[in-house]
Amino acid sequence: MTKSIRTASLVAATGVVLGLLAPVTASARPEQTLHWTKCQGAGLDPRQECATLAVPMDYAHPDGARIDLAVSRIPAENPSARRGALLLVPGGPGGDSLGDPSGKGQKLPQGVRDSYDLIGFAPRGNAPSTSVSCGLEHRDLAVTALRPWPGPDGSVDRNMATARRMADACARNGGELLRHISTVDNARDIDRIRAALGDRELSAWGVSYGTYVAAVYAQLFPQRTDRIVLDSSGNPDPVRAERAWLQAYEVGVEDNFPEFARWASTPGSPYRLAPTAAEVRPLFLRLAARLDREPIPWPGANPEELNGDVLRQTLLNSLYDPDDYPTAARLILAALKGGALPAPQSPPDEVMQNYTAVGAATICNDAAWPRSAGVYRKGVEESRAKYPLTAGMPRNAMVCAAWPWQPKRAPVRITDQGPADVLLVQDVRDVATPLSSALKMREAFGRRAVMVTVNSTGHDAYLDNGNACGDETVSRFLATGERPRRDVYCG
């Protein structure tokens, strides 16, 4: 799951951003209906249907160029009990939920599946919707290039050069659509989906970055919302937006590492790294420092070596879900013992090109990032001293430091203006959207929201890494509308 124009005065308390809620002119094209057909692809529920919706590429010119959005659904299982549509809003930015009606949507309890059409979609820029690519070099598709790990000495020069190279490629190869991919554009697309479904209101289950999209939708279109679930929320900072999420990894890794250390010191475990949990941290830091100096060749990986940053990134990835702890442990053990490294696993470059372009466009178009290397140099120095596990990465420069276009608007300020129909669910230990960040989202929504805090570990709480208490509370809200009177803790 990851800009500084201080134009908050342009964002009214009602959520109107630079006229974004101005009515469409009479010359705008009429609303469409969706024509459902059999979905292409393997492993889908046979009930899942797919359709294509054309929307404006640039909402400032609604009669101009159009792009296609791919939409999917499984209809409510009890048509007589149908309440409306439940949009499954994906994380990322760069992810899609086209397969989710067949996937995680089937984890929903029967009462929810009876009441809602389960709706998935590929957000603008994501294939098979009208897609984008920056045509990046292979080396710039490495996760350690996309996540801006500084040099072993804390230098940001390499990162600034990478940002310029990637930004130049996006400007050269990305096309016009790349300038019109943002969270606000996604929210406006969602309202077009709602209208095409024929529903006056829309319910949503947003996860990770999807919570931000759903929150912005609820701010811009408050009277179009029914029941909104925000699962694993970031800080809706009205100036920094996703830049604040990147910095949150400092806290997220520290919140979660003790759980990993306890697991990695379990007696008798094949993944045991040290006799005690207290010894796991210094072991990891020593190994990362050694790999900074002496990388191990890793043919087929990107980059083709196991260096300190690759090890740190593998740990961060593994902290998203306790089920992934063995991935980090296997790599650590192989590096310590000098054994064969695990087979590298990475999506094809074509997939990464699309995912990376959408992610970069969203993050960089949502809010402006500093252009000065000095800002990042100072932030990295402070971060490395206080949070050695993340080695300064969360305050470093990514592609947005050289993005060729300025954001068209300030980020939407989330407020308490609108119906009280928002339920947040949040794990206590979440590496990507730590509890401290989710509390910022809760504070921003004020009277509109109630928060369920779950004493669990992992990213994505509802029906995934949470607990029965949290799951039952969210399911009851979706099925019946019953919401806790106040914030609750599920121990």
Side-chain angles (χ1 to χ4, degrees):
M1 111 217 152
T2 336
K3 283 176 194 15
S4 79
I5 293 180
R6 283 197 173 270
T7 52
S9 61
L10 297 174
V11 185
T14 59
V16 180
V17 184
L18 299 181
L20 287 175
L21 293 186
V24 178
T25 62
S27 62
R29 304 180 191 188
E31 300 293 353
Q32 303 172 67
T33 57
L34 294 169
H35 302 286
W36 299 102
T37 61
K38 180 177 175 59
C39 294
Q40 302 299 311
L44 297 175
D45 190 302
R47 297 171 299 169
Q48 182 169 312
E49 305 168 311
C50 288
T52 300
L53 175 67
V55 300
M57 179 170 68
D58 181 356
Y59 278 101
H61 301 93
D63 285 328
R66 313 283 276 184
I67 59 172
D68 288 337
L69 298 181
V71 185
S72 63
R73 77 168 179 182
I74 291 180
E77 296 183 21
N78 183 356
S80 65
R82 182 186 184 276
R83 178 178 180 85
L86 177 64
L87 185 70
L88 309 175
V89 190
D96 76 81
S97 60
L98 272 179
D100 285 356
S102 296
K104 74 175 191 178
Q106 297 309 302
K107 296 181 181 180
L108 289 162
Q110 189 65 52
V112 177
R113 302 199 313 273
D114 283 346
S115 302
Y116 295 97
D117 298 342
L118 304 181
I119 308 296
F121 72 113
R124 58 172 53 212
N126 289 78
S129 297
T130 303
S131 63
V132 293
S133 170
C134 288
L136 299 175
E137 297 180 24
H138 175 71
R139 60 174 169 165
D140 292 332
L141 297 175
V143 178
T144 48
L146 305 175
R147 293 267 172 79
W149 296 95
D153 60 353
S155 169
V156 304
D157 294 343
R158 179 188 62 188
N159 305 97
M160 293 298 291
T162 299
R164 288 190 293 270
R165 186 172 62 247
M166 293 175 67
D168 288 347
C170 289
R172 186 171 58 249
N173 305 319
E176 182 65 18
L177 176 54
L178 207 66
R179 306 177 67 172
H180 303 286
I181 296 175
S182 71
T183 299
V184 169
D185 288 310
N186 287 332
R188 300 209 65 171
D189 287 346
I190 286 174
D191 203 54
R192 293 292 179 119
I193 293 173
R194 175 204 58 77
L197 292 170
D199 290 325
R200 291 182 57 82
E201 296 178 339
L202 184 71
S203 293
W205 171 17
V207 178
S208 192
Y209 167 69
T211 65
Y212 188 49
V213 178
V216 170
Y217 181 77
Q219 184 67 39
L220 297 180
F221 302 95
Q223 301 310 318
R224 297 299 192 187
T225 60
D226 186 11
R227 296 169 185 170
I228 305 297
V229 172
L230 306 183
D231 178 356
S232 306
S233 300
N235 174 5
D237 190 302
V239 174
R240 296 185 300 159
E242 287 93 335
R243 188 174 166 220
W245 308 347
L246 187 68
Q247 185 171 339
Y249 277 121
E250 294 172 338
V251 175
V253 170
E254 292 291 344
D255 286 350
N256 282 265
F257 191 84
E259 294 296 308
F260 173 78
R262 279 191 284 272
W263 174 88
S265 58
T266 304
S269 168
Y271 302 112
R272 194 180 195 197
L273 301 179
T276 67
E279 294 173 87
V280 176
R281 183 186 181 99
L283 179 150
F284 177 83
L285 292 173
R286 286 195 303 269
L287 178 60
R290 191 193 87 193
L291 292 172
D292 283 336
R293 300 187 303 271
E294 304 169 0
I296 299 173
W298 198 0
N302 187 14
E304 291 199 332
E305 65 178 25
L306 172 58
N307 56 40
D309 291 343
V310 172
L311 185 75
R312 296 178 185 100
Q313 183 64 56
T314 302
L315 173 69
L316 190 156
N317 292 347
S318 298
L319 295 181
Y320 272 69
D321 188 330
D323 290 343
D324 294 334
Y325 287 173
T327 300
R330 278 193 293 266
L331 195 60
I332 293 169
L333 288 169
L336 288 171
K337 297 178 179 179
L341 299 178
Q345 296 181 347
S346 178
D349 275 11
E350 181 182 359
V351 174
M352 287 299 295
Q353 289 282 10
N354 183 217
Y355 180 89
T356 301
V358 175
T362 307
I363 294 168
C364 303
N365 290 336
D366 271 2
W369 286 50
R371 300 276 169 160
S372 167
V375 172
Y376 300 107
R377 193 173 294 114
K378 181 175 184 293
V380 165
E381 181 180 359
E382 294 174 352
S383 184
R384 281 164 59 89
K386 191 172 182 180
Y387 303 99
L389 288 171
T390 44
M393 180 275 290
R395 298 196 212 179
N396 198 7
M398 58 183 296
V399 60
C400 304
W403 196 243
W405 307 290
Q406 286 295 313
K408 292 182 283 186
R409 60 184 75 83
V412 171
R413 182 180 294 275
I414 305 301
T415 75
D416 64 356
Q417 301 301 300
D421 57 4
V422 179
L423 179 67
L424 287 78
V425 58
Q426 177 69 37
D427 283 347
V428 170
R429 293 167 296 279
D430 182 331
V431 68
T433 54
L435 178 59
S436 54
S437 293
L439 288 169
K440 296 289 187 181
M441 181 74 84
R442 169 68 185 90
E443 179 184 7
F445 267 116
R447 53 163 290 279
R448 292 194 67 182
V450 169
M451 182 164 169
V452 182
T453 303
V454 181
N455 184 20
S456 292
T457 301
H459 185 56
D460 300 358
Y462 180 48
L463 304 179
D464 193 355
N465 292 308
N467 63 23
C469 164
D471 290 350
E472 290 166 2
T473 304
V474 177
S475 294
R476 187 163 52 247
F477 171 63
L478 286 174
T480 70
E482 181 184 342
R483 199 179 66 157
R485 292 175 178 266
R486 57 183 65 86
D487 294 354
V488 298
Y489 177 80
C490 284

